[in-house]
């Protein structure tokens, strides 16, 4: 697995810059969906195909496909959730109807890969999002130790501590409330810090499983904690 610094990843192209027929491109993207199929087409010919969905640091998604023996190769090689440095493939405009059916976060182009395409796995440094509907357990999140983006995490709420006021950099008071959450199966617990009552958390939900939406991991004096921002939400699940 190759290690790339965040600065190096930011120097690669993004999907938004694609155009039909672009050559010598290179992106860093995550495989968020993979579907491999073997079937006989309308002419009775045995066919193998792999369809993938990629997402890059700009949160833009693009569809990719590969046929034949190369599809079998990439089905064995590619893993959902893994980040890759990707190069070589034919970029062309996707079907107009398909483009209209998808959201604005999808590219209007598609990539046709072949046996010369390159997928190099790289270490996840947190700059490439996971795509929608990805929820982590507390233990998964703890092992990732990714600090560059917001995540959704499910855990059991063990404790809601009293609020305290802290001095801010601009002289204004900052209100802090700490929660303790846990993943009982892995015996892992972590502090969750709610800043300025956003979002509001009531002690009545202690003992319930909660979904922490749009929280970010931070490390202070070798201690990890989840921290809220203006997008964060806490819901009982």
């Amino acid at each position: 697995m190759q290690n790339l610094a965040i600065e190096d990843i930011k120097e690669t192209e993004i999907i938004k810059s694609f155009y039909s027929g672009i050559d010598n491109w290179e992106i860093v993207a995550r495989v968020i969906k993979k579907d491999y199929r073997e079937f006989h087409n309308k002419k009775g010919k045995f066919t193998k195909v792999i369809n993938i969905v990629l997402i890059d640091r700009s949160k833009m998604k693009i569809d990719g496909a590969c046929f034949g023996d190369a599809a079998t190769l990439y089905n064995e090689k590619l893993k959902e959730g893994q980040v890759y440095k990707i190069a070589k493939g034919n970029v062309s405009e996707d079907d107009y109807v398909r483009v209209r059916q998808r959201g604005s976060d999808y590219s209007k182009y598609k990539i046709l890969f072949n046996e010369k395409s390159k997928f190099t796995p790289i270490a996840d440094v947190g700059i490439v999002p996971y795509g929608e509907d990805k929820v982590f357990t507390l233990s998964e999140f703890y092992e990732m130790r990714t600090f560059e983006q917001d995540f959704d995490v499910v855990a059991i709420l063990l404790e809601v501590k009293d609020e305290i006021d802290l001095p801010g950099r601009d002289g204004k008071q900052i209100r802090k409330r700490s929660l303790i959450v846990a993943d009982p199966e892995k015996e892992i617990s972590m502090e969750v810090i709610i800043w300025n009552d956003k979002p509001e958390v009531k002690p009545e939900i202690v003992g319930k499983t909660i979904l922490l939406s749009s929280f970010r991991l931070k490390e202070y004096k070798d201690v990890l904690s989840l921290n809220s921002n203006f997008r964060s939400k806490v819901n009982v699940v």
Side-chain angles (χ1 to χ4, degrees):
M1 182 175 294
Q2 185 175 349
N3 291 306
L4 284 181
I6 292 177
E7 293 74 17
D8 295 329
I9 295 175
K10 288 182 177 179
E11 290 181 358
T12 61
E13 291 176 274
I14 57 175
I15 294 170
K16 288 181 179 179
S17 68
F18 276 6
Y19 55 87
S20 186
I22 184 174
D23 196 12
N24 295 325
W25 55 267
E26 183 178 75
I27 62 172
V28 171
R30 190 185 304 276
V31 176
I32 58 174
K33 289 183 181 178
K34 183 182 78 168
D35 179 35
Y36 175 77
R37 298 184 183 183
E38 297 180 353
F39 60 96
H40 289 84
N41 62 21
K42 294 180 180 180
K43 297 182 179 180
K45 183 179 179 180
F46 180 67
T47 303
K48 295 177 283 189
V49 61
I50 184 171
N51 292 291
I52 61 175
V53 179
L54 303 172
I55 188 170
D56 71 359
R57 68 181 190 275
S58 70
K59 299 182 180 180
M60 179 65 72
K61 303 169 191 170
I62 192 169
D63 283 343
C66 185
F67 294 87
D69 291 337
T72 305
L73 173 65
Y74 292 132
N75 183 50
E76 297 172 354
K77 182 177 181 180
L78 300 181
K79 296 180 180 179
E80 285 190 6
Q82 176 65 49
V83 179
Y84 296 89
K85 183 170 68 174
I86 306 169
K88 295 187 178 181
N90 181 39
V91 177
S92 61
E93 286 199 35
D94 205 346
D95 179 76
Y96 175 77
V97 176
R98 279 168 47 85
V99 172
R100 288 291 301 271
Q101 289 174 340
R102 296 180 303 201
S104 59
D105 59 341
Y106 260 92
S107 172
K108 69 176 183 178
Y109 299 100
K110 62 183 178 181
I111 307 173
L112 181 62
F113 295 105
N114 54 53
E115 64 278 357
K116 295 182 180 179
S117 300
K118 294 184 178 180
F119 288 84
T120 304
I122 67 171
D124 191 350
V125 294
I127 195 173
V128 181
Y130 277 81
E132 72 278 6
D133 301 326
K134 178 63 178 178
V135 178
F136 295 90
T137 65
L138 188 63
S139 57
E140 290 174 330
F141 190 70
Y142 185 86
E143 291 172 1
M144 284 194 317
R145 294 180 180 240
T146 300
F147 302 93
E148 296 295 328
Q149 58 180 296
D150 296 343
F151 288 93
D152 297 346
V153 182
V154 64
I156 294 178
L157 179 60
L158 297 183
E159 184 181 357
V160 178
K161 296 186 177 182
D162 293 335
E163 294 176 339
I164 60 173
D165 290 328
L166 301 173
R169 294 178 181 177
D170 56 1
K172 296 181 179 180
Q173 294 288 328
I174 300 175
R175 181 159 293 180
K176 172 186 174 183
R177 167 169 273 180
S178 293
L179 317 177
I180 304 298
V181 297
D183 182 345
E185 292 185 3
K186 301 293 183 179
E187 298 182 349
I188 292 175
S189 63
M190 186 181 294
E191 182 183 19
V192 178
I193 300 176
I194 305 294
W195 297 104
N196 292 325
D197 298 324
K198 296 179 181 180
E200 181 181 4
V201 179
K202 297 180 179 180
E204 290 80 6
I205 64 173
V206 168
K208 298 183 181 296
T209 300
I210 59 172
L211 175 62
L212 301 157
S213 302
S214 297
F215 278 74
R216 184 165 295 202
L217 188 67
K218 293 186 178 181
E219 186 174 18
Y220 179 69
K221 294 184 177 179
D222 296 325
V223 177
L224 297 174
S225 65
L226 282 164
N227 287 252
S228 72
N229 56 66
F230 70 94
R231 295 180 295 272
S232 301
K233 296 179 181 179
V234 176
N235 292 299
V236 176
V237 296

